[in-house]
Amino acid sequence: MLTRHVAGRVYNYDYCIGRGGAGGDGFISPVGFAVGSGGSLYVVNRGNEYSPSQGITKCTLDHKVLWEDRGFGFAGGESPWPTSIATDSDENVYISDDYVSQIFMYDKDGDFKGGWGRKGSGDGELDGPSGLAFDGEDNLYVVDSLNHRVQKFTRDGKFLAKWGSRGSGAGQFNMPWGIAMDKDGHVYVADWKNDRVQKLTQDGEYLATFGSPGTGDGELKCPSDIAIDDQGDVYVVDWGNLRLNIYEADGTFITSFIGDADILSPWAQGVVNANPDYRKARRRTDMTPEQWFQRPVAVNVDSEGRIMVLETERTRIQIYVKEKDFIDAQFNL
């Protein structure tokens, strides 16, 4: 799918960023990312037991690494298991950690600013925090996953409100994961174990559901993240089905992406070029499956209409473009 026309929309696959790497131009088990200014991205790496390289990589859309803070010293040595990331209006960077149940902060230049939060189930306490999103007033919404709720804080950690409880009814959650807000301030929550996305007001009032359990068109299996573009289309990472589902604002299913990375990123290509035997082995092998998503986990849409999908296992971001003024060329045959 290099170009797809569907429901009056045109999508083009563009390119990818990333490779496996414990530092520099590489990611290890990336689980979330945020879009910064000047064509920059903040990618949070979870690392693993074999490569303790958890932390942040700030890079650009043209493959330049700007800074990183990774390894045991990440977040002052206090964050072993980061989960999600978001930026406020000043481009301060916030990271959730679901092991220590805290929120940590950096500025856009990579200086660590501390953290807040403690484990528990009371007001303002967290248990396994995951998705993060800011509203227009710089209030931070935190998916409190193991408490099956969403909590609202000021950006310096003052508790403001909470809503949600464990269950499968409207406005209830079962281990929710990702969260996003649209331009009207509505909140979308990836209700992971209920196989759906719920749309709510900022006060937690239920509005609508996107998707239902299953593997068919528009159905979901453990959705992990959401993004909404400026035209109201909703992008849902269908983690369990290894795809990205797209819906209209009213919940009508549009299409799915399964991944199209037919060309390696410059970071990955540099590694291949450095090993002639590896390069020859790739030519002898059908590399088609490498194009497809493998554990897609997060999605963002920027102001240019770029749809960016992060894959944990393939350690990369695939980038699509939703064309706003596309005109089909006329062919005379």
Side-chain angles (χ1 to χ4, degrees), residues 88-126:
D88 66 15
S89 63
D90 295 320
E91 210 170 310
N92 296 306
V93 184
Y94 292 70
I95 302 102
S96 58
D97 186 295
D98 68 354
Y99 183 79
V100 298
S101 294
Q102 289 186 276
I103 308 298
F104 297 100
M105 297 166 288
Y106 282 76
D107 66 20
K108 64 182 179 181
D109 297 317
D111 294 325
F112 179 56
K113 298 298 182 181
W116 49 265
R118 65 178 182 179
K119 190 168 186 175
S121 58
D123 290 356
E125 296 177 332
L126 300 166

Side-chain angles (χ1 to χ4, degrees), residues 58-268:
K58 184 178 182 180
C59 62
T60 67
L61 286 163
D62 57 358
H63 312 281
K64 296 177 183 177
V65 176
L66 300 178
W67 58 260
E68 63 176 5
D69 187 5
R70 293 170 66 174
F72 292 116
F74 167 62
E78 298 297 320
S79 177
W81 213 232
T83 309
S84 189
I85 190 167
T87 57
D88 66 15
S89 63
D90 295 320
E91 210 170 310
N92 296 306
V93 184
Y94 292 70
I95 302 102
S96 58
D97 186 295
D98 68 354
Y99 183 79
V100 298
S101 294
Q102 289 186 276
I103 308 298
F104 297 100
M105 297 166 288
Y106 282 76
D107 66 20
K108 64 182 179 181
D109 297 317
D111 294 325
F112 179 56
K113 298 298 182 181
W116 49 265
R118 65 178 182 179
K119 190 168 186 175
S121 58
D123 290 356
E125 296 177 332
L126 300 166
D127 193 358
S130 53
L132 305 172
F134 280 95
D135 66 17
E137 298 178 349
D138 267 343
N139 296 311
L140 178 62
Y141 292 72
V142 180
V143 175
D144 191 6
S145 185
L146 297 182
N147 283 323
H148 314 284
R149 65 186 181 184
V150 173
Q151 295 201 71
K152 178 180 177 181
F153 299 87
T154 64
R155 61 181 177 177
D156 58 358
K158 179 182 177 183
F159 170 76
L160 297 175
K162 65 179 181 181
W163 35 264
S165 61
R166 184 168 190 168
S168 58
Q172 294 183 311
F173 306 107
N174 191 350
M175 290 184 67
W177 190 339
I179 188 169
M181 303 190 77
D182 65 20
K183 61 183 180 181
D184 297 318
H186 299 125
V187 182
Y188 298 71
V189 180
D191 193 1
W192 193 63
K193 276 202 168 181
N194 281 327
D195 300 314
R196 65 186 181 184
V197 167
Q198 295 195 70
K199 178 181 179 180
L200 309 106
T201 68
Q202 292 185 20
D203 297 320
E205 179 185 349
Y206 170 81
L207 296 174
T209 294
F210 292 75
S212 59
T215 60
D217 290 347
E219 295 178 333
L220 298 168
K221 182 180 180 182
C222 299
S224 58
D225 199 20
I226 321 102
I228 305 93
D229 69 21
D230 58 7
Q231 296 172 312
D233 288 347
V234 179
Y235 301 81
V236 178
V237 178
D238 192 3
W239 183 85
N241 286 321
L242 306 179
R243 64 190 180 188
L244 180 77
N245 285 350
I246 307 175
Y247 305 86
E248 295 184 25
D250 64 1
T252 301
F253 173 69
I254 298 174
T255 191
S256 294
F257 299 164
I258 63 168
D260 292 275
D262 57 333
I263 298 175
L264 294 174
S265 77
W267 296 353

